[in-house]
Amino acid sequence: MNWKSISDRLLDGGSITEEEALAVLESPDEELLEVVQAAYRIRKKYFGKSVAIHLLQNVKSGKCPEDCTFCSQSTRALNDVERYDMQTVEKIVEGAQAAVDRNAKRYCMVASTRAPNPNELETICTATIQIKQKHPHLEICSSLGLLTEEKALKLKEAGVNRFNHNLETSRNFFPEVVTTHDFEERINTARIAKQVGLDLCCGGLYGMGESLQDRVDLAFALADLDVDSVPVNFLDPRPGTPFHGKPNPLTPNDALRALCMMRFVNPTAELRVAGGREKTLRGLQSLALYPANSIFTSGYLTTGGQDYETDKQIIEDAGFQIEMQA
């Protein structure tokens, strides 16, 4: 496969076929750097050498009634994850300062829930208004489960810039991961977010036992939604979940191939290396910045991660720079 010719086509406004995307995931290790270079050419055109940093705040923990098999915050998971209701406005606003202190472009408020109730939605909206007053250049992302158009409009009116709602996996593999809601419900929420004018952050999780074709199908489903941002997570099996104790099937090279494939399929989207980055990529984290242009720093929802100073050093050592707030 001529990887440069694929990037040439994409740089000229063309697209990649499903067969070519699958070939990226099946490519041999000796061609990996060629694949990475081809993906970097596209990343460089749209994002230069900048890396956008995001900081997560778990605003409601361990209270989700859904049965997502990978999630330690499901009420069906048997673990000691901290469980609490929606945080106060004050605590959520306080968390935004940590994002500012780490030069984060976005502050992401995430709640473990099927859908926000009226009081929870009001808390998020009030917190967003106050954060925007204190930090007008900090972008706000919220992840609150399933949305109606009315709820999405309230978030938009309050100043939320982006809504996260991951598809997680392909339509075909989805029933193996979640049974308490279906793939179409996720698609519907993603479309509602776009319809009301919110940026759509929508990605998935690799390493759950899905096929290579499932990974490709997810990438094309995201392209069909015209997503603005794609977080790519790699399974880090959590205690109390069905995946705990199972080895992660992904090698660092597999993860890099997956990121490159996602860049080829969604060339203009912000591509973020998300949960599982440190454990899956290990010593190859800096190479992930060639297809991807964004990371989470200072941990995830129920798991720790690298501190900001370490991430900053990786970014700078690789010759990239942190994208500052506008």
Coordinates of all heavy atoms in Angstrom, one line a residue, residues 118-213:
P118 N -33.8 17.6 35.5 CA -33.8 19.1 35.5 C -32.9 19.8 36.4 O -32.3 20.8 36.1 CB -35.3 19.4 35.8 CG -36.0 18.2 35.3 CD -35.1 17.0 35.6
N119 N -32.8 19.3 37.7 CA -31.9 19.9 38.6 C -30.4 19.8 38.2 O -29.6 20.8 38.4 CB -32.1 19.3 40.0 CG -33.4 19.7 40.7 OD1 -34.0 20.8 40.3 ND2 -33.9 18.9 41.6
E120 N -30.0 18.7 37.7 CA -28.7 18.5 37.3 C -28.3 19.4 36.1 O -27.3 20.0 36.0 CB -28.4 17.0 36.9 CG -28.5 16.1 38.1 CD -28.5 14.6 37.7 OE1 -28.8 14.3 36.6 OE2 -28.3 13.8 38.6
L121 N -29.3 19.5 35.2 CA -29.1 20.3 34.0 C -28.9 21.8 34.4 O -28.1 22.5 33.9 CB -30.3 20.2 33.0 CG -30.1 20.8 31.7 CD1 -29.0 20.0 30.8 CD2 -31.4 20.9 30.9
E122 N -29.7 22.2 35.4 CA -29.6 23.6 35.9 C -28.3 23.8 36.6 O -27.7 24.9 36.4 CB -30.8 23.8 36.9 CG -30.9 25.3 37.4 CD -31.1 26.3 36.3 OE1 -31.8 25.9 35.3 OE2 -30.7 27.4 36.4
T123 N -27.8 22.8 37.3 CA -26.5 23.0 37.9 C -25.4 23.2 36.9 O -24.5 24.1 37.0 CB -26.2 21.7 38.8 OG1 -27.1 21.7 39.8 CG2 -24.8 21.8 39.4
I124 N -25.4 22.4 35.8 CA -24.4 22.5 34.8 C -24.5 23.9 34.1 O -23.5 24.5 33.8 CB -24.5 21.4 33.7 CG1 -24.2 20.0 34.4 CG2 -23.7 21.6 32.5 CD1 -22.7 19.9 34.8
C125 N -25.7 24.3 33.8 CA -25.9 25.6 33.1 C -25.5 26.7 34.0 O -24.8 27.7 33.5 CB -27.4 25.8 32.7 SG -27.9 24.7 31.4
T126 N -25.8 26.7 35.3 CA -25.4 27.8 36.2 C -23.9 27.8 36.3 O -23.3 28.9 36.3 CB -26.1 27.6 37.6 OG1 -27.5 27.6 37.4 CG2 -25.7 28.7 38.5
A127 N -23.3 26.6 36.5 CA -21.8 26.6 36.6 C -21.2 27.1 35.3 O -20.2 27.8 35.4 CB -21.4 25.1 36.8
T128 N -21.7 26.8 34.2 CA -21.1 27.2 32.9 C -21.2 28.7 32.8 O -20.2 29.4 32.4 CB -21.9 26.6 31.7 OG1 -21.7 25.2 31.7 CG2 -21.3 27.1 30.4
I129 N -22.3 29.3 33.2 CA -22.4 30.8 33.1 C -21.3 31.5 34.0 O -20.7 32.4 33.6 CB -23.8 31.2 33.6 CG1 -24.8 30.8 32.5 CG2 -23.9 32.7 33.8 CD1 -26.3 30.9 32.9
Q130 N -21.2 30.9 35.2 CA -20.2 31.5 36.2 C -18.7 31.2 35.7 O -17.9 32.1 35.8 CB -20.4 30.9 37.6 CG -21.7 31.3 38.2 CD -21.8 30.8 39.7 OE1 -20.8 30.5 40.3 NE2 -23.0 30.8 40.2
I131 N -18.5 30.1 35.1 CA -17.1 29.8 34.6 C -16.8 30.8 33.5 O -15.7 31.3 33.4 CB -17.0 28.4 34.1 CG1 -17.1 27.4 35.3 CG2 -15.7 28.2 33.3 CD1 -17.3 25.9 34.9
K132 N -17.8 31.0 32.6 CA -17.5 31.9 31.5 C -17.3 33.4 31.9 O -16.5 34.1 31.3 CB -18.7 31.9 30.5 CG -18.9 30.6 29.7 CD -17.8 30.5 28.6 CE -18.0 29.3 27.7 NZ -17.0 29.3 26.6
Q133 N -17.9 33.7 33.0 CA -17.7 35.1 33.6 C -16.3 35.2 34.1 O -15.6 36.2 33.9 CB -18.7 35.3 34.7 CG -20.1 35.5 34.2 CD -21.1 35.6 35.4 OE1 -20.8 35.2 36.5 NE2 -22.3 36.1 35.1
K134 N -15.7 34.1 34.7 CA -14.4 34.2 35.3 C -13.3 33.9 34.3 O -12.2 34.4 34.3 CB -14.3 33.1 36.4 CG -15.1 33.4 37.7 CD -14.9 32.4 38.8 CE -13.5 32.5 39.3 NZ -13.3 31.5 40.4
H135 N -13.6 33.0 33.3 CA -12.6 32.5 32.4 C -13.3 32.5 31.0 O -13.6 31.5 30.4 CB -12.2 31.1 32.7 CG -11.7 30.9 34.1 ND1 -10.6 31.5 34.6 CD2 -12.3 30.2 35.1 CE1 -10.5 31.1 35.9 NE2 -11.5 30.4 36.2
P136 N -13.5 33.7 30.4 CA -14.2 33.8 29.1 C -13.6 33.1 27.9 O -14.3 32.8 27.0 CB -14.2 35.3 28.9 CG -13.1 35.9 29.7 CD -13.0 35.0 30.9
H137 N -12.3 32.8 28.0 CA -11.7 32.1 26.9 C -11.6 30.6 27.0 O -11.2 29.9 26.1 CB -10.3 32.6 26.7 CG -10.2 34.1 26.4 ND1 -10.9 34.7 25.3 CD2 -9.7 35.2 27.1 CE1 -10.7 36.0 25.3 NE2 -10.0 36.3 26.4
L138 N -12.0 30.1 28.2 CA -12.0 28.6 28.4 C -13.2 28.0 27.8 O -14.4 28.4 28.1 CB -12.0 28.4 29.9 CG -11.9 26.9 30.4 CD1 -10.6 26.2 29.9 CD2 -12.1 26.8 31.9
E139 N -13.0 27.0 26.9 CA -14.1 26.4 26.3 C -14.7 25.3 27.2 O -14.0 24.6 28.0 CB -13.7 25.8 24.9 CG -13.4 26.8 23.9 CD -13.2 26.2 22.5 OE1 -13.7 25.1 22.3 OE2 -12.5 26.9 21.7
I140 N -16.0 25.1 27.1 CA -16.7 24.2 28.0 C -17.3 23.0 27.2 O -18.0 23.2 26.2 CB -17.9 24.9 28.8 CG1 -17.3 26.1 29.6 CG2 -18.6 23.9 29.7 CD1 -16.3 25.7 30.7
C141 N -17.0 21.8 27.7 CA -17.6 20.6 27.1 C -18.4 19.9 28.3 O -17.9 19.9 29.4 CB -16.5 19.7 26.6 SG -17.1 18.1 25.9
S142 N -19.5 19.4 28.0 CA -20.3 18.6 29.0 C -20.6 17.2 28.4 O -20.8 17.1 27.2 CB -21.5 19.3 29.4 OG -22.4 19.5 28.3
S143 N -20.7 16.2 29.3 CA -21.0 14.9 28.9 C -22.0 14.4 29.9 O -21.7 14.1 31.1 CB -19.8 14.0 28.9 OG -20.1 12.7 28.5
L144 N -23.3 14.3 29.5 CA -24.4 14.1 30.4 C -25.4 13.0 30.0 O -26.5 13.0 30.5 CB -25.2 15.4 30.6 CG -24.4 16.7 30.9 CD1 -25.3 17.9 30.8 CD2 -23.8 16.6 32.3
G145 N -24.9 12.1 29.1 CA -25.8 11.1 28.7 C -26.7 11.5 27.6 O -26.4 12.4 26.8
L146 N -27.9 10.9 27.5 CA -28.8 11.1 26.4 C -29.5 12.5 26.6 O -29.8 12.9 27.7 CB -29.9 10.0 26.4 CG -29.4 8.6 26.3 CD1 -30.5 7.6 26.5 CD2 -28.8 8.4 24.9
L147 N -29.7 13.2 25.4 CA -30.3 14.5 25.4 C -31.6 14.6 24.6 O -31.7 13.9 23.6 CB -29.3 15.5 24.8 CG -28.1 16.0 25.6 CD1 -27.4 17.1 24.8 CD2 -28.5 16.5 26.9
T148 N -32.4 15.5 25.0 CA -33.5 15.9 24.2 C -33.1 17.2 23.6 O -32.2 17.9 24.0 CB -34.8 16.1 25.0 OG1 -34.6 17.2 26.0 CG2 -35.2 14.9 25.7
E149 N -33.8 17.7 22.5 CA -33.5 19.0 21.9 C -33.6 20.1 22.9 O -32.8 21.0 22.9 CB -34.4 19.2 20.7 CG -34.1 20.5 20.0 CD -34.9 20.6 18.7 OE1 -35.5 19.6 18.2 OE2 -34.9 21.7 18.1
E150 N -34.7 20.0 23.8 CA -34.9 21.1 24.8 C -33.7 21.2 25.7 O -33.2 22.3 26.0 CB -36.1 20.8 25.6 CG -36.4 21.9 26.6 CD -37.6 21.5 27.5 OE1 -38.1 20.4 27.4 OE2 -38.1 22.4 28.3
K151 N -33.2 20.1 26.2 CA -32.0 20.1 27.1 C -30.8 20.6 26.4 O -30.0 21.3 26.9 CB -31.8 18.7 27.7 CG -32.9 18.3 28.7 CD -32.6 16.9 29.2 CE -33.7 16.5 30.2 NZ -33.5 15.1 30.7
A152 N -30.6 20.2 25.1 CA -29.4 20.6 24.4 C -29.5 22.1 24.2 O -28.4 22.8 24.3 CB -29.4 19.9 23.0
L153 N -30.6 22.7 23.9 CA -30.8 24.1 23.7 C -30.4 24.9 25.0 O -29.8 25.9 24.9 CB -32.2 24.5 23.2 CG -32.5 24.2 21.8 CD1 -34.0 24.3 21.5 CD2 -31.7 25.2 20.9
K154 N -30.8 24.3 26.1 CA -30.5 25.0 27.4 C -29.0 25.0 27.6 O -28.4 26.0 28.1 CB -31.2 24.3 28.6 CG -32.7 24.5 28.6 CD -33.3 23.9 29.8 CE -34.8 24.2 29.9 NZ -35.4 23.6 31.1
L155 N -28.3 23.9 27.3 CA -26.8 23.9 27.4 C -26.2 24.9 26.5 O -25.3 25.7 26.9 CB -26.3 22.5 27.1 CG -26.7 21.4 28.1 CD1 -26.3 20.1 27.5 CD2 -26.0 21.6 29.4
K156 N -26.7 25.0 25.3 CA -26.2 25.9 24.3 C -26.4 27.4 24.8 O -25.4 28.2 24.7 CB -26.9 25.7 22.9 CG -26.6 26.7 21.9 CD -25.1 26.6 21.3 CE -24.9 27.5 20.2 NZ -23.5 27.5 19.7
E157 N -27.5 27.7 25.2 CA -27.9 29.0 25.7 C -27.0 29.5 26.9 O -26.7 30.6 27.1 CB -29.4 29.2 26.0 CG -30.2 29.1 24.7 CD -31.7 28.8 25.1 OE1 -32.0 28.7 26.3 OE2 -32.5 28.7 24.1
A158 N -26.7 28.5 27.7 CA -25.9 28.8 28.9 C -24.4 29.0 28.6 O -23.7 29.6 29.4 CB -26.0 27.6 29.9
G159 N -24.0 28.7 27.4 CA -22.6 28.9 27.0 C -21.8 27.7 26.8 O -20.5 27.8 26.6
V160 N -22.4 26.5 26.9 CA -21.6 25.2 26.7 C -21.2 25.2 25.2 O -22.0 25.5 24.3 CB -22.5 24.0 27.0 CG1 -21.8 22.7 26.6 CG2 -22.7 23.9 28.5
N161 N -20.0 25.0 24.9 CA -19.5 25.0 23.6 C -19.6 23.6 22.9 O -19.8 23.6 21.6 CB -18.0 25.4 23.5 CG -17.7 26.7 24.2 OD1 -17.2 26.7 25.3 ND2 -18.0 27.8 23.5
R162 N -19.5 22.6 23.6 CA -19.3 21.2 23.0 C -20.0 20.2 23.9 O -20.0 20.3 25.1 CB -17.9 20.9 22.9 CG -17.5 19.5 22.4 CD -16.0 19.4 22.2 NE -15.6 20.1 21.0 CZ -14.3 20.1 20.5 NH1 -13.4 19.4 21.2 NH2 -14.0 20.7 19.5
F163 N -20.6 19.2 23.2 CA -21.2 18.1 24.0 C -20.6 16.8 23.6 O -20.3 16.5 22.4 CB -22.7 18.0 23.7 CG -23.4 17.1 24.6 CD1 -23.8 17.5 25.9 CD2 -23.8 15.8 24.3 CE1 -24.4 16.7 26.8 CE2 -24.4 14.9 25.1 CZ -24.8 15.4 26.4
N164 N -20.2 16.0 24.6 CA -19.6 14.7 24.3 C -20.6 13.6 24.5 O -21.4 13.5 25.5 CB -18.4 14.4 25.3 CG -18.0 13.0 25.3 OD1 -18.4 12.2 26.2 ND2 -17.3 12.6 24.3
H165 N -20.7 12.7 23.5 CA -21.5 11.5 23.6 C -20.9 10.5 22.7 O -21.1 10.4 21.5 CB -22.9 11.8 23.2 CG -23.9 10.8 23.6 ND1 -24.2 10.5 24.9 CD2 -24.7 9.9 22.9 CE1 -25.1 9.6 25.0 NE2 -25.4 9.2 23.8
N166 N -20.1 9.6 23.2 CA -19.3 8.6 22.5 C -20.3 7.5 21.9 O -21.2 7.1 22.6 CB -18.2 8.0 23.3 CG -17.1 9.0 23.6 OD1 -16.9 10.0 22.9 ND2 -16.4 8.7 24.7
L167 N -20.0 7.1 20.7 CA -20.7 5.9 20.2 C -20.1 4.6 20.8 O -20.7 3.6 20.8 CB -20.5 5.8 18.7 CG -21.2 7.0 17.9 CD1 -21.1 6.7 16.4 CD2 -22.6 7.2 18.3
E168 N -18.9 4.7 21.3 CA -18.1 3.6 21.9 C -17.6 2.5 20.9 O -16.4 2.2 21.0 CB -18.9 2.9 23.0 CG -19.4 3.8 24.1 CD -18.4 4.7 24.8 OE1 -17.2 4.5 24.5 OE2 -18.7 5.5 25.7
T169 N -18.4 2.0 20.1 CA -18.0 1.0 19.2 C -18.9 0.9 17.9 O -19.7 1.8 17.8 CB -18.0 -0.4 19.9 OG1 -17.3 -1.4 19.0 CG2 -19.4 -0.9 20.2
S170 N -18.8 -0.1 17.1 CA -19.6 -0.1 15.9 C -21.0 -0.5 16.2 O -21.3 -1.1 17.3 CB -19.0 -1.2 15.0 OG -19.2 -2.5 15.5
R171 N -21.9 -0.3 15.3 CA -23.3 -0.7 15.4 C -23.4 -2.2 15.6 O -24.2 -2.7 16.5 CB -24.1 -0.3 14.2 CG -25.6 -0.6 14.3 CD -26.3 -0.3 13.0 NE -26.3 1.2 12.7 CZ -27.2 2.0 13.2 NH1 -28.2 1.6 14.0 NH2 -27.1 3.3 12.9
N172 N -22.6 -2.9 14.9 CA -22.6 -4.4 15.0 C -22.1 -4.9 16.4 O -22.7 -5.9 16.9 CB -21.6 -5.0 13.9 CG -21.5 -6.5 14.0 OD1 -22.4 -7.2 13.8 ND2 -20.3 -6.9 14.3
F173 N -21.1 -4.3 16.9 CA -20.6 -4.8 18.2 C -21.2 -4.2 19.4 O -21.1 -4.7 20.6 CB -19.0 -4.5 18.3 CG -18.3 -5.3 19.3 CD1 -18.1 -6.6 19.3 CD2 -17.8 -4.6 20.4 CE1 -17.4 -7.3 20.3 CE2 -17.1 -5.3 21.4 CZ -16.9 -6.7 21.3
F174 N -22.0 -3.1 19.2 CA -22.6 -2.4 20.4 C -23.4 -3.3 21.3 O -23.3 -3.2 22.6 CB -23.5 -1.3 19.8 CG -23.9 -0.3 20.9 CD1 -23.1 0.8 21.2 CD2 -25.1 -0.4 21.6 CE1 -23.5 1.7 22.2 CE2 -25.5 0.5 22.5 CZ -24.7 1.6 22.8
P175 N -24.2 -4.2 20.8 CA -25.0 -5.1 21.8 C -24.1 -5.9 22.7 O -24.6 -6.4 23.7 CB -25.8 -6.0 20.9 CG -26.0 -5.2 19.6 CD -24.6 -4.5 19.5
E176 N -22.8 -6.2 22.3 CA -21.9 -6.9 23.2 C -21.4 -6.0 24.3 O -20.8 -6.6 25.3 CB -20.7 -7.4 22.3 CG -21.1 -8.3 21.2 CD -21.8 -9.6 21.6 OE1 -21.3 -10.2 22.6 OE2 -22.7 -10.0 20.9
V177 N -21.6 -4.7 24.2 CA -21.0 -3.8 25.2 C -22.1 -3.2 26.1 O -21.9 -3.0 27.3 CB -20.3 -2.7 24.4 CG1 -19.7 -1.7 25.4 CG2 -19.2 -3.3 23.6
V178 N -23.3 -2.9 25.5 CA -24.4 -2.2 26.2 C -25.7 -2.9 25.8 O -25.9 -3.1 24.7 CB -24.4 -0.7 25.8 CG1 -25.5 0.0 26.7 CG2 -23.1 0.0 26.0
T179 N -26.5 -3.1 26.8 CA -27.9 -3.7 26.6 C -29.0 -2.8 27.1 O -30.2 -3.0 26.7 CB -28.1 -5.1 27.2 OG1 -28.0 -5.0 28.6 CG2 -27.0 -6.0 26.7
T180 N -28.7 -1.8 27.9 CA -29.8 -1.0 28.5 C -30.2 0.2 27.6 O -31.1 0.9 27.9 CB -29.3 -0.4 29.9 OG1 -28.0 0.1 29.8 CG2 -29.3 -1.5 30.9
H181 N -29.5 0.5 26.5 CA -29.9 1.4 25.5 C -29.3 0.9 24.2 O -28.4 0.1 24.2 CB -29.6 2.8 25.8 CG -28.1 3.1 26.0 ND1 -27.5 3.0 27.2 CD2 -27.2 3.5 25.1 CE1 -26.2 3.3 27.0 NE2 -26.0 3.6 25.7
D182 N -29.7 1.4 23.1 CA -29.2 0.9 21.8 C -28.4 2.0 21.1 O -28.3 3.1 21.4 CB -30.3 0.4 20.9 CG -31.4 1.4 20.6 OD1 -31.1 2.6 20.4 OD2 -32.6 1.0 20.4
F183 N -27.7 1.5 20.0 CA -26.8 2.4 19.2 C -27.6 3.6 18.7 O -27.0 4.7 18.6 CB -26.2 1.5 18.1 CG -25.1 2.2 17.4 CD1 -23.8 2.2 17.9 CD2 -25.3 2.7 16.1 CE1 -22.8 2.7 17.2 CE2 -24.2 3.3 15.4 CZ -23.0 3.3 16.0
E184 N -28.8 3.4 18.2 CA -29.6 4.5 17.6 C -29.8 5.6 18.6 O -29.9 6.8 18.2 CB -30.9 3.9 17.0 CG -31.5 4.8 16.0 CD -30.5 5.1 14.8 OE1 -29.8 4.2 14.4 OE2 -30.5 6.3 14.3
E185 N -30.0 5.3 19.9 CA -30.2 6.3 20.9 C -28.9 7.2 21.0 O -29.0 8.4 21.2 CB -30.5 5.7 22.2 CG -31.9 5.1 22.3 CD -32.2 4.5 23.6 OE1 -31.8 3.3 23.8 OE2 -32.8 5.1 24.5
R186 N -27.8 6.6 20.9 CA -26.5 7.4 20.9 C -26.4 8.3 19.6 O -26.1 9.4 19.7 CB -25.3 6.4 21.0 CG -25.3 5.6 22.2 CD -23.9 5.7 22.9 NE -23.9 5.0 24.2 CZ -23.0 5.1 25.0 NH1 -21.9 5.8 24.8 NH2 -23.0 4.4 26.2
I187 N -26.8 7.7 18.5 CA -26.7 8.5 17.3 C -27.7 9.6 17.4 O -27.4 10.8 17.0 CB -27.1 7.6 16.1 CG1 -26.1 6.5 15.8 CG2 -27.5 8.4 14.8 CD1 -24.8 7.0 15.1
N188 N -28.9 9.4 17.9 CA -29.9 10.5 18.0 C -29.4 11.6 18.9 O -29.5 12.8 18.5 CB -31.2 9.9 18.6 CG -32.3 10.9 18.6 OD1 -32.6 11.5 17.6 ND2 -32.8 11.1 19.8
T189 N -28.8 11.3 20.0 CA -28.2 12.4 20.9 C -27.1 13.2 20.2 O -27.0 14.4 20.3 CB -27.7 11.8 22.2 OG1 -28.9 11.4 23.0 CG2 -26.9 12.8 23.0
A190 N -26.3 12.5 19.5 CA -25.2 13.1 18.7 C -25.8 14.1 17.7 O -25.3 15.2 17.5 CB -24.3 12.1 18.0
R191 N -26.8 13.6 17.0 CA -27.4 14.5 16.0 C -28.1 15.7 16.6 O -28.0 16.8 16.0 CB -28.4 13.7 15.2 CG -27.8 12.7 14.2 CD -28.8 11.8 13.5 NE -28.1 11.0 12.4 CZ -28.6 9.9 12.0 NH1 -29.8 9.5 12.4 NH2 -28.0 9.2 11.0
I192 N -28.7 15.5 17.7 CA -29.4 16.6 18.4 C -28.4 17.7 18.8 O -28.6 18.9 18.6 CB -30.1 16.1 19.7 CG1 -31.4 15.4 19.3 CG2 -30.5 17.3 20.6 CD1 -32.1 14.7 20.4
A193 N -27.2 17.3 19.3 CA -26.2 18.2 19.7 C -25.8 19.1 18.5 O -25.6 20.3 18.6 CB -25.0 17.5 20.3
K194 N -25.6 18.4 17.4 CA -25.2 19.1 16.2 C -26.3 20.1 15.7 O -26.0 21.2 15.3 CB -24.8 18.2 15.0 CG -23.6 17.4 15.2 CD -22.3 18.2 15.0 CE -22.1 18.4 13.5 NZ -20.7 19.1 13.3
Q195 N -27.5 19.6 15.8 CA -28.6 20.4 15.3 C -28.8 21.7 16.0 O -29.2 22.7 15.4 CB -29.9 19.6 15.4 CG -30.0 18.5 14.3 CD -31.2 17.5 14.6 OE1 -31.9 17.7 15.6 NE2 -31.2 16.4 13.8
V196 N -28.5 21.7 17.3 CA -28.7 23.0 18.1 C -27.5 23.9 18.0 O -27.5 25.0 18.6 CB -29.1 22.7 19.6 CG1 -30.4 21.8 19.6 CG2 -28.0 22.1 20.3
G197 N -26.4 23.4 17.4 CA -25.3 24.3 17.2 C -24.1 24.0 18.2 O -23.2 24.8 18.3
L198 N -24.2 22.9 18.9 CA -23.1 22.5 19.8 C -22.1 21.8 19.0 O -22.4 21.1 18.1 CB -23.6 21.6 20.9 CG -24.5 22.2 22.0 CD1 -25.1 21.1 22.8 CD2 -23.6 23.1 22.9
D199 N -20.8 22.0 19.3 CA -19.8 21.1 18.7 C -20.0 19.7 19.2 O -20.4 19.6 20.4 CB -18.4 21.6 19.1 CG -17.8 22.8 18.3 OD1 -18.5 23.2 17.4 OD2 -16.7 23.2 18.6
L200 N -19.7 18.7 18.4 CA -20.0 17.4 18.8 C -18.6 16.7 19.0 O -17.8 16.5 18.1 CB -20.8 16.6 17.7 CG -21.0 15.1 18.0 CD1 -21.7 14.9 19.3 CD2 -21.7 14.5 16.8
C201 N -18.4 16.2 20.2 CA -17.3 15.4 20.6 C -17.8 14.0 20.7 O -18.7 13.7 21.5 CB -16.7 15.8 22.0 SG -15.4 14.8 22.6
C202 N -17.3 13.1 19.9 CA -17.9 11.7 19.8 C -16.8 10.8 19.3 O -16.3 10.9 18.2 CB -19.1 11.8 18.8 SG -20.1 10.3 18.7
G203 N -16.6 9.8 20.1 CA -15.5 8.8 19.8 C -15.9 7.4 20.2 O -17.0 7.0 20.2
G204 N -14.8 6.7 20.7 CA -15.1 5.4 21.1 C -13.9 4.7 21.9 O -13.0 5.4 22.3
L205 N -14.1 3.4 22.1 CA -13.1 2.7 22.9 C -12.7 1.5 22.1 O -13.5 0.7 21.7 CB -13.8 2.3 24.2 CG -13.1 1.4 25.2 CD1 -11.8 2.0 25.7 CD2 -14.0 1.0 26.4
Y206 N -11.4 1.3 22.0 CA -10.8 0.1 21.3 C -10.2 -0.8 22.3 O -9.6 -0.4 23.3 CB -9.8 0.6 20.3 CG -10.3 1.3 19.1 CD1 -9.6 2.2 18.4 CD2 -11.6 0.9 18.5 CE1 -10.1 2.8 17.2 CE2 -12.1 1.5 17.4 CZ -11.3 2.5 16.7 OH -11.8 3.1 15.6
G207 N -10.3 -2.1 22.0 CA -9.6 -3.1 22.8 C -10.6 -4.0 23.6 O -10.2 -4.7 24.5
M208 N -11.9 -3.9 23.2 CA -12.9 -4.6 24.0 C -13.2 -6.0 23.4 O -14.1 -6.7 23.9 CB -14.2 -3.8 24.1 CG -14.1 -2.5 24.8 SD -15.7 -1.7 25.0 CE -16.0 -1.1 23.3
G209 N -12.5 -6.4 22.4 CA -12.7 -7.7 21.7 C -13.4 -7.5 20.4 O -13.8 -8.5 19.7
E210 N -13.6 -6.2 20.0 CA -14.1 -5.9 18.6 C -13.2 -6.3 17.5 O -12.0 -6.4 17.7 CB -14.5 -4.4 18.5 CG -13.3 -3.5 18.3 CD -12.5 -3.2 19.6 OE1 -12.9 -3.6 20.7 OE2 -11.3 -2.7 19.5
S211 N -13.7 -6.6 16.4 CA -12.9 -6.9 15.2 C -12.2 -5.7 14.6 O -12.6 -4.5 14.9 CB -13.7 -7.6 14.1 OG -14.6 -6.7 13.6
L212 N -11.3 -5.9 13.7 CA -10.7 -4.7 13.0 C -11.7 -4.0 12.2 O -11.7 -2.8 12.1 CB -9.5 -5.2 12.1 CG -8.3 -5.8 12.8 CD1 -7.2 -6.0 11.8 CD2 -7.8 -4.8 13.9
Q213 N -12.7 -4.8 11.6 CA -13.7 -4.2 10.8 C -14.6 -3.3 11.7 O -15.1 -2.2 11.3 CB -14.6 -5.3 10.1 CG -15.7 -4.7 9.2 CD -15.1 -3.9 8.0 OE1 -14.2 -4.4 7.3 NE2 -15.5 -2.7 7.9

